[in-house]
Amino acid sequence: MARWGMVIDLDKCTACQACVVACQAENNIPNANPESAAKGRNIHWLEMIPFIEEEYPHTRMRLLPRPCMHCENPPCIEVCPVGATQISSEGIVGQINARCIGCRYCTTACPYTVKSFNWFKPAWPKGMERYLNPDVTVRYNGVVEKCTFCHHRLQKARDKARF
Ligand code: SF4
Ligand code: SF4
């Protein structure tokens, strides 16, 4: 099966997290409020994972950008009781918000812990709603969300190529 892929050059990555912020803005991911952040309930579709290289005392901290891996045989799909997470013919693992019943089986099954549950109704600081991306649906409380491989951008490019 032909499938989309994304390469991140780890030798060039400085862990500045500009990509994390861009992903939040592109995909209408709400900022965590202090209460949800304290409980580890903030949502990121792309996150920096810290790991340590070498032996003490010459250890070196590295940070690894981690989006959804869009696995070939995704365990998150296997466990979903309602088919709310599916793989496309191009290898993109998507979420169907309207079908999700919020059971969170998939958040447990994902080995990369990339899925997030919406514990709260999403909210943005006053005025920020104007910056929401009209091409991406705002999710609601009670459903799980994750990286969609910016599927909406692929669709836009396809539409442009056709006309
Ligand atoms: S959510 Fe997890 S298990 Fe599912 S495709 Fe992404 S990385 Fe794989
Ligand atoms: S939380 Fe939603 S997407 Fe995940 S397994 Fe349950 S119904 Fe499926």
Side-chain angles (χ1 to χ4, degrees), residues 7-14:
V7 176
I8 302 175
D9 187 341
L10 297 181
D11 288 333
K12 288 186 178 161
C13 175
T14 61

Side-chain angles (χ1 to χ4, degrees), residues 24 27-30 43 45 97 118 120-122 124 136-141 143-146:
Q24 301 279 121
N27 292 296
N28 297 336
I29 301 168
I43 296 177
W45 288 8
N97 302 322
N118 281 279
F120 304 99
K121 190 174 169 215
W124 284 265
V136 178
T137 312
V138 172
R139 284 73 57 192
Y140 33 89
N141 51 324
V143 300
V144 158
E145 63 178 68
K146 73 160 191 76

